PDB file of all heavy atoms in Angstrom:
ATOM      1  N   ILE A1310      28.984 -67.732 -41.321  1.00  0.00           N
ATOM      2  CA  ILE A1310      27.586 -68.123 -41.556  1.00  0.00           C
ATOM      3  C   ILE A1310      27.297 -68.248 -43.051  1.00  0.00           C
ATOM      4  O   ILE A1310      26.591 -69.177 -43.492  1.00  0.00           O
ATOM      5  CB  ILE A1310      26.624 -67.112 -40.896  1.00  0.00           C
ATOM      6  CG1 ILE A1310      26.708 -67.171 -39.371  1.00  0.00           C
ATOM      7  CG2 ILE A1310      25.174 -67.349 -41.343  1.00  0.00           C
ATOM      8  CD1 ILE A1310      26.232 -68.449 -38.732  1.00  0.00           C
ATOM      9  N   VAL A1311      27.852 -67.340 -43.852  1.00  0.00           N
ATOM     10  CA  VAL A1311      27.649 -67.400 -45.308  1.00  0.00           C
ATOM     11  C   VAL A1311      28.262 -68.679 -45.882  1.00  0.00           C
ATOM     12  O   VAL A1311      27.660 -69.342 -46.741  1.00  0.00           O
ATOM     13  CB  VAL A1311      28.236 -66.148 -45.999  1.00  0.00           C
ATOM     14  CG1 VAL A1311      28.278 -66.324 -47.519  1.00  0.00           C
ATOM     15  CG2 VAL A1311      27.414 -64.916 -45.654  1.00  0.00           C
ATOM     16  N   LEU A1312      29.458 -69.044 -45.412  1.00  0.00           N
ATOM     17  CA  LEU A1312      30.101 -70.284 -45.870  1.00  0.00           C
ATOM     18  C   LEU A1312      29.274 -71.508 -45.483  1.00  0.00           C
ATOM     19  O   LEU A1312      29.107 -72.440 -46.278  1.00  0.00           O
ATOM     20  CB  LEU A1312      31.515 -70.391 -45.291  1.00  0.00           C
ATOM     21  CG  LEU A1312      32.551 -69.405 -45.838  1.00  0.00           C
ATOM     22  CD1 LEU A1312      33.864 -69.519 -45.070  1.00  0.00           C
ATOM     23  CD2 LEU A1312      32.789 -69.625 -47.325  1.00  0.00           C
ATOM     24  N   ILE A1313      28.759 -71.511 -44.251  1.00  0.00           N
ATOM     25  CA  ILE A1313      27.898 -72.612 -43.799  1.00  0.00           C
ATOM     26  C   ILE A1313      26.636 -72.681 -44.657  1.00  0.00           C
ATOM     27  O   ILE A1313      26.181 -73.770 -45.047  1.00  0.00           O
ATOM     28  CB  ILE A1313      27.546 -72.446 -42.303  1.00  0.00           C
ATOM     29  CG1 ILE A1313      28.778 -72.673 -41.429  1.00  0.00           C
ATOM     30  CG2 ILE A1313      26.437 -73.423 -41.886  1.00  0.00           C
ATOM     31  CD1 ILE A1313      28.580 -72.324 -39.963  1.00  0.00           C
ATOM     32  N   PHE A1314      26.064 -71.502 -44.959  1.00  0.00           N
ATOM     33  CA  PHE A1314      24.869 -71.442 -45.806  1.00  0.00           C
ATOM     34  C   PHE A1314      25.138 -72.056 -47.184  1.00  0.00           C
ATOM     35  O   PHE A1314      24.330 -72.852 -47.689  1.00  0.00           O
ATOM     36  CB  PHE A1314      24.404 -69.994 -45.964  1.00  0.00           C
ATOM     37  CG  PHE A1314      23.378 -69.797 -47.044  1.00  0.00           C
ATOM     38  CD1 PHE A1314      22.067 -70.179 -46.857  1.00  0.00           C
ATOM     39  CD2 PHE A1314      23.741 -69.248 -48.275  1.00  0.00           C
ATOM     40  CE1 PHE A1314      21.114 -70.021 -47.858  1.00  0.00           C
ATOM     41  CE2 PHE A1314      22.801 -69.070 -49.275  1.00  0.00           C
ATOM     42  CZ  PHE A1314      21.488 -69.465 -49.071  1.00  0.00           C
ATOM     43  N   LEU A1315      26.281 -71.711 -47.791  1.00  0.00           N
ATOM     44  CA  LEU A1315      26.610 -72.231 -49.121  1.00  0.00           C
ATOM     45  C   LEU A1315      26.802 -73.748 -49.080  1.00  0.00           C
ATOM     46  O   LEU A1315      26.341 -74.466 -49.978  1.00  0.00           O
ATOM     47  CB  LEU A1315      27.872 -71.550 -49.660  1.00  0.00           C
ATOM     48  CG  LEU A1315      27.726 -70.054 -49.989  1.00  0.00           C
ATOM     49  CD1 LEU A1315      29.077 -69.451 -50.343  1.00  0.00           C
ATOM     50  CD2 LEU A1315      26.733 -69.850 -51.140  1.00  0.00           C
ATOM     51  N   MET A1316      27.471 -74.235 -48.016  1.00  0.00           N
ATOM     52  CA  MET A1316      27.641 -75.691 -47.864  1.00  0.00           C
ATOM     53  C   MET A1316      26.287 -76.379 -47.717  1.00  0.00           C
ATOM     54  O   MET A1316      26.039 -77.415 -48.341  1.00  0.00           O
ATOM     55  CB  MET A1316      28.499 -75.980 -46.632  1.00  0.00           C
ATOM     56  CG  MET A1316      29.970 -75.676 -46.795  1.00  0.00           C
ATOM     57  SD  MET A1316      30.873 -75.914 -45.245  1.00  0.00           S
ATOM     58  CE  MET A1316      30.686 -77.667 -44.986  1.00  0.00           C
ATOM     59  N   ALA A1317      25.412 -75.802 -46.894  1.00  0.00           N
ATOM     60  CA  ALA A1317      24.084 -76.384 -46.678  1.00  0.00           C
ATOM     61  C   ALA A1317      23.253 -76.343 -47.952  1.00  0.00           C
ATOM     62  O   ALA A1317      22.581 -77.319 -48.305  1.00  0.00           O
ATOM     63  CB  ALA A1317      23.364 -75.636 -45.557  1.00  0.00           C
ATOM     64  N   PHE A1318      23.315 -75.219 -48.661  1.00  0.00           N
ATOM     65  CA  PHE A1318      22.504 -75.041 -49.870  1.00  0.00           C
ATOM     66  C   PHE A1318      22.901 -76.055 -50.941  1.00  0.00           C
ATOM     67  O   PHE A1318      22.050 -76.798 -51.458  1.00  0.00           O
ATOM     68  CB  PHE A1318      22.671 -73.619 -50.398  1.00  0.00           C
ATOM     69  CG  PHE A1318      21.799 -73.298 -51.577  1.00  0.00           C
ATOM     70  CD1 PHE A1318      20.497 -72.845 -51.392  1.00  0.00           C
ATOM     71  CD2 PHE A1318      22.270 -73.456 -52.879  1.00  0.00           C
ATOM     72  CE1 PHE A1318      19.679 -72.554 -52.481  1.00  0.00           C
ATOM     73  CE2 PHE A1318      21.464 -73.178 -53.969  1.00  0.00           C
ATOM     74  CZ  PHE A1318      20.167 -72.723 -53.772  1.00  0.00           C
ATOM     75  N   PHE A1319      24.206 -76.103 -51.256  1.00  0.00           N
ATOM     76  CA  PHE A1319      24.650 -76.998 -52.335  1.00  0.00           C
ATOM     77  C   PHE A1319      24.634 -78.466 -51.903  1.00  0.00           C
ATOM     78  O   PHE A1319      24.371 -79.352 -52.719  1.00  0.00           O
ATOM     79  CB  PHE A1319      26.043 -76.581 -52.828  1.00  0.00           C
ATOM     80  CG  PHE A1319      26.025 -75.298 -53.613  1.00  0.00           C
ATOM     81  CD1 PHE A1319      26.565 -74.140 -53.090  1.00  0.00           C
ATOM     82  CD2 PHE A1319      25.429 -75.232 -54.863  1.00  0.00           C
ATOM     83  CE1 PHE A1319      26.536 -72.945 -53.793  1.00  0.00           C
ATOM     84  CE2 PHE A1319      25.383 -74.048 -55.589  1.00  0.00           C
ATOM     85  CZ  PHE A1319      25.941 -72.898 -55.054  1.00  0.00           C
ATOM     86  N   GLY A1320      24.879 -78.727 -50.613  1.00  0.00           N
ATOM     87  CA  GLY A1320      24.814 -80.104 -50.112  1.00  0.00           C
ATOM     88  C   GLY A1320      23.414 -80.671 -50.225  1.00  0.00           C
ATOM     89  O   GLY A1320      23.214 -81.788 -50.722  1.00  0.00           O
ATOM     90  N   ASN A1321      22.420 -79.905 -49.779  1.00  0.00           N
ATOM     91  CA  ASN A1321      21.030 -80.382 -49.826  1.00  0.00           C
ATOM     92  C   ASN A1321      20.486 -80.420 -51.251  1.00  0.00           C
ATOM     93  O   ASN A1321      19.738 -81.343 -51.600  1.00  0.00           O
ATOM     94  CB  ASN A1321      20.149 -79.492 -48.943  1.00  0.00           C
ATOM     95  CG  ASN A1321      20.342 -79.781 -47.470  1.00  0.00           C
ATOM     96  OD1 ASN A1321      20.034 -80.857 -46.994  1.00  0.00           O
ATOM     97  ND2 ASN A1321      20.872 -78.813 -46.745  1.00  0.00           N
ATOM     98  N   LEU A1322      20.862 -79.439 -52.071  1.00  0.00           N
ATOM     99  CA  LEU A1322      20.420 -79.438 -53.469  1.00  0.00           C
ATOM    100  C   LEU A1322      20.988 -80.653 -54.204  1.00  0.00           C
ATOM    101  O   LEU A1322      20.270 -81.328 -54.957  1.00  0.00           O
ATOM    102  CB  LEU A1322      20.864 -78.139 -54.157  1.00  0.00           C
ATOM    103  CG  LEU A1322      20.454 -77.966 -55.627  1.00  0.00           C
ATOM    104  CD1 LEU A1322      18.934 -77.943 -55.773  1.00  0.00           C
ATOM    105  CD2 LEU A1322      21.062 -76.700 -56.213  1.00  0.00           C
TER     106      LEU A1322
END
Side-chain angles (χ1 to χ4, degrees):
I1310 292 294
V1311 169
L1312 290 174
I1313 291 171
F1314 167 75
L1315 292 173
M1316 286 175 65
F1318 184 86
F1319 288 109
N1321 284 295
L1322 181 62

